[in-house]
Amino acid sequence: MAKNTRTILICSGKGGVGKTTLTANLGIALANSGSSTAVLDADFGLRNLDLLLGLENRIIYTAQDVLDKNCRLDQALVRHKQEPNLALLPAGDPRMLDWMKPDDMKKISALLSEKFDYVLVDCPAGVEDGFKNALAACNEAIVVTNPELSAVRDADRVVGILNTCDIKPIQLVVNRVRPKMMANQEMLTIDDVTSILSLPLLGIVLEDEQVIISTNRGEPLTLSGKKSPASKCYLNVSQRLAGADVPIIDPNKESKSLKDKFMNLMQTKIF
């Protein structure tokens, strides 16, 4: 019996907005909740998903090998040792960028849909062929952007293309949110971004230096168990994606909460 798999495109207009980091953390969080989850690296030019998951040294076969029938799908899938419900299907050889076509992505998606509850497709930034190939495999999308004019403008181009395709729902994650800058009108607010893009907000991710540390270690925050602002946000996004009725994290309340904790700590030390 075929699974009712959700194949989700995780995309952005601008590079560097945190799309791959979201894919890795969301994949771990969904797997940890009990859902069998595959993450497919569709960025064949600049593949990094394996690095963020700490799986770069375990890759033997790729999606390209599966399609060329050099191996079975289960041989190409790299299971995460600490989270067995998560598997990575690596990208192909970046020196052979012309091999992948939309029909190839559909075949890979169909194979993954037989085994997993969720398939998260990490899409190349922009709207070129890599984006179109990845789009062909998916039935819903998450658009990732930062609250910056250039990132939002590029995201708007992606949303325009998604709206012309049979992709539903299309949801938004606003990454690298800095409440103080928003309060000082030095950064677009969440309402600004949602108003411009006209998308339902799936969640936000607060700016957090632990994201950089975890990325360099190849250990996603949602795997490490570290209680950091971004980790809480990733878990919130995963719960909402899975249909849980949980409120979106309020960046202003989170900022005040951290300040209160700091003040309480200082008072404890003084008295």
Side-chain angles (χ1 to χ4, degrees):
M1 183 176 176
K3 282 179 171 286
N4 186 24
T5 302
R6 295 176 64 182
T7 306
I8 305 170
L9 183 75
I10 300 184
C11 57
S12 67
K14 190 173 184 291
V17 298
K19 169 181 51 60
T20 301
T21 306
L22 177 68
T23 303
N25 280 282
L26 198 53
I28 291 286
L30 289 169
N32 187 252
S33 72
S35 298
S36 57
T37 305
V39 288
L40 170 58
D41 192 343
D43 192 344
F44 296 93
L46 299 170
R47 63 184 198 188
N48 285 311
L49 190 53
D50 57 333
L51 290 171
L52 268 64
L53 289 167
L55 301 176
E56 68 276 11
N57 294 325
R58 296 180 53 205
I59 294 174
I60 299 174
Y61 298 109
T62 68
Q64 185 176 354
D65 292 307
V66 175
L67 289 170
D68 289 342
K69 297 185 178 180
N70 294 328
C71 70
R72 302 184 308 274
L73 176 64
D74 61 302
Q75 290 177 303
L77 288 169
V78 183
R79 294 278 177 180
H80 202 288
K81 288 183 178 179
Q82 293 167 271
E83 185 43 75
N85 279 333
L86 181 78
L88 165 72
L89 183 56
D93 189 336
R95 293 170 296 180
M96 300 177 65
L97 298 179
D98 295 334
W99 75 273
M100 176 65 81
K101 304 298 180 188
D103 284 346
D104 296 321
M105 285 296 291
K106 289 179 182 178
K107 291 175 185 175
I108 287 293
S109 176
L111 290 171
L112 292 171
S113 295
E114 296 174 5
K115 296 178 175 290
F116 296 95
D117 300 315
Y118 289 91
V119 178
L120 306 182
V121 180
D122 184 26
C123 174
V127 293
E128 306 305 325
D129 288 346
F131 167 74
K132 294 171 184 175
N133 290 340
L135 177 60
C138 302
N139 46 42
E140 55 184 289
I142 297 172
V143 177
V144 185
T145 189
N146 298 156
E148 304 166 8
L149 283 173
S150 60
V152 173
R153 183 179 66 177
D154 289 352
D156 191 46
R157 291 189 63 200
V158 169
V159 173
I161 296 172
L162 293 174
N163 282 331
T164 65
C165 305
D166 190 23
I167 302 291
K168 292 182 180 179
I170 306 168
Q171 301 183 85
L172 174 67
V173 170
V174 183
N175 194 29
R176 303 192 69 177
V177 171
R178 302 183 184 188
K180 185 177 180 180
M181 291 185 69
M182 287 183 174
N184 293 336
Q185 298 184 338
E186 297 168 341
M187 175 178 276
L188 294 174
T189 67
I190 302 300
D191 287 343
D192 290 335
V193 178
T194 56
S195 176
I196 293 168
L197 297 179
S198 299
L199 290 180
L201 184 63
L202 179 62
I204 70 163
V205 180
L206 294 167
E207 180 72 48
D208 185 350
E209 65 181 17
Q210 287 298 323
V211 173
I212 299 172
I213 295 170
S214 68
T215 297
N216 287 334
R217 290 177 176 171
E219 185 180 83
L221 280 176
T222 47
L223 177 68
S224 67
K226 290 184 180 296
K227 293 183 179 180
S228 73
S231 177
K232 184 176 180 180
C233 291
Y234 289 132
L235 291 172
N236 181 274
V237 172
S238 72
Q239 290 167 344
R240 289 177 56 79
L241 183 65
D245 185 18
V246 295
I248 292 175
I249 287 175
D250 185 332
N252 296 314
K253 287 184 179 178
E254 289 298 312
S255 179
K256 290 176 183 177
S257 174
L258 290 172
K259 183 179 178 181
D260 291 342
K261 288 179 180 178
F262 176 74
M263 294 303 294
N264 290 337
L265 179 62
M266 293 302 294
Q267 288 174 359
T268 301
K269 286 185 175 180
I270 293 172
F271 299 107

